[in-house]
Amino acid sequence: MHRTDLIAIGELAARTGTAVSAIRFYEAKGLLAALRTGGGQRRFLRADIRRVSFILIAQQMGLSLDEIADELARLPAGRTPNAADWTRISTGLRARIDAQIAALARTRELLDNCIGCGCLSLRKCGLYNREDKAAQRGAGPRYLLGDRAGEIAEVD
Amino acid sequence: MHRTDLIAIGELAARTGTAVSAIRFYEAKGLLAALRTGGGQRRFLRADIRRVSFILIAQQMGLSLDEIADELARLPAGRTPNAADWTRISTGLRARIDAQIAALARTRELLDNCIGCGCLSLRKCGLYNREDKAAQRGAGPRYLLGDRAGEIAEVD
DNA sequence: ATGAAAGCTCAAGTGAGGTTTAGATCAACC
DNA sequence: GGTTGATCTAAACCTCACTTGAGCTTTCAT
């Protein structure tokens, strides 16, 4: 056993490059669980460094925190993802990226048809008739291309 | 001249598939300008259908409303984009899409290296050390992965 | 034993891109 | 001229992923 098996929130933050406030936020969201000292301070397992790493990478792949929570909940007994889990999950992410790239490529093709045409016609323009209304869920913010690599992928 | 050269907000909304509230919002943002009836109701030009179309398409390409406003402001005398303008602008959008695709392709490559490795190591994992600032939008300073790569300690 | 550094909670703020609500007014058709 | 539906304004509300601030407590090294 290591002398300190449990780490404080500041160390977890430093080791993963996140802000302390973000770690607390993830805990509140149920993405992380913390033990408490007698004085009420959080203590995390070393394995939580890996768990936070997973959150950050998955986020970069375009998953929302809720989706990441689902992914983590799918692991047996709230276990932190190990190599096998990661292979399974990252293979899924790969498919997601493929879909995003394909969607962008289609958009680019439509745009190419449009360049020089200048129609901007709602009836004719291919850029318009992609059924993107479906992607507009709820009254929240719209996920734009630059915002979060390709929620637009879900357009199609 | 057409019998009704001016259209009401509801018609503009219907013709472009947007919500009436969104049209008002665009006007408040300076993306559209409206005339007013004696009673204070908005009346738009038919050309504004095209202008709204432009907004929607540009948005779909990932431009923020501010960027779209800049683009529109660049047109002489607040003119609604015509075919030549559209060609110029859409060529720029194309470059943007190309960049997005390239970024995703890089991520996919890194992910491929990661699949089967399962390391999730902050020090070694390529997914960690990419610098895609493009993902940074929204409130407050975000501590994104690429931003502080140097400070990130190693996972065990 | 002490003082700085780190941690705690809870509430409110951020920003994009709008929507919703409420109560009042306008425009059009009969 | 009356009814009905469209429109008006202003302010409040929404999501997401966090941050910031205030005011207080715990921990750790010396």
Side-chain angles (χ1 to χ4, degrees), chain A residues 144-147, chain B residues 26 29-31 51 54-75 88-89 92-93 96 100 133-134 136-137:
Chain A
L144 297 175
L145 287 168
D147 193 4
Chain B
Y26 294 152
K29 278 263 170 179
L31 293 161
R51 199 176 172 94
F54 171 71
I55 294 170
L56 298 178
I57 292 180
Q59 234 185 339
Q60 213 167 69
M61 297 297 138
L63 278 78
S64 68
L65 291 186
D66 279 354
E67 289 169 316
I68 295 171
D70 287 351
E71 227 25 282
L72 287 171
R74 199 161 294 137
L75 298 175
R88 178 176 56 72
I89 294 169
L93 296 182
R96 207 183 170 97
Q100 284 169 10
K133 314 289 189 197
Q136 173 136 21
R137 254 171 221 245

Side-chain angles (χ1 to χ4, degrees), chain A residues 65-96:
Chain A
L65 290 186
D66 279 354
E67 289 170 317
I68 295 170
D70 286 352
E71 220 36 275
L72 287 171
R74 200 161 293 137
L75 298 174
R79 172 161 53 78
T80 284
N82 64 16
D85 296 325
W86 173 240
T87 297
R88 178 177 55 71
I89 293 170
S90 55
T91 301
L93 295 182
R94 212 206 115 101
R96 207 184 167 96

Side-chain angles (χ1 to χ4, degrees), chain A residues 86-150:
Chain A
W86 173 240
T87 297
R88 178 177 55 71
I89 293 170
S90 55
T91 301
L93 295 182
R94 212 206 115 101
R96 207 184 167 96
I97 292 183
D98 284 344
Q100 285 170 9
I101 290 180
L104 280 174
R106 275 196 303 282
T107 297
R108 183 171 59 185
E109 216 174 300
L110 294 170
L111 186 59
D112 283 346
N113 287 337
C114 250
I115 292 178
C117 138
C119 60
L120 278 177
S121 160
L122 294 176
R123 266 201 312 284
K124 290 183 293 180
C125 185
L127 288 170
Y128 248 114
N129 295 319
R130 316 175 65 218
E131 294 296 318
D132 61 313
K133 303 302 177 199
Q136 311 210 345
R137 13 186 223 192
R142 268 54 258 215
Y143 293 84
L144 297 175
L145 287 168
D147 193 4
R148 153 181 293 250

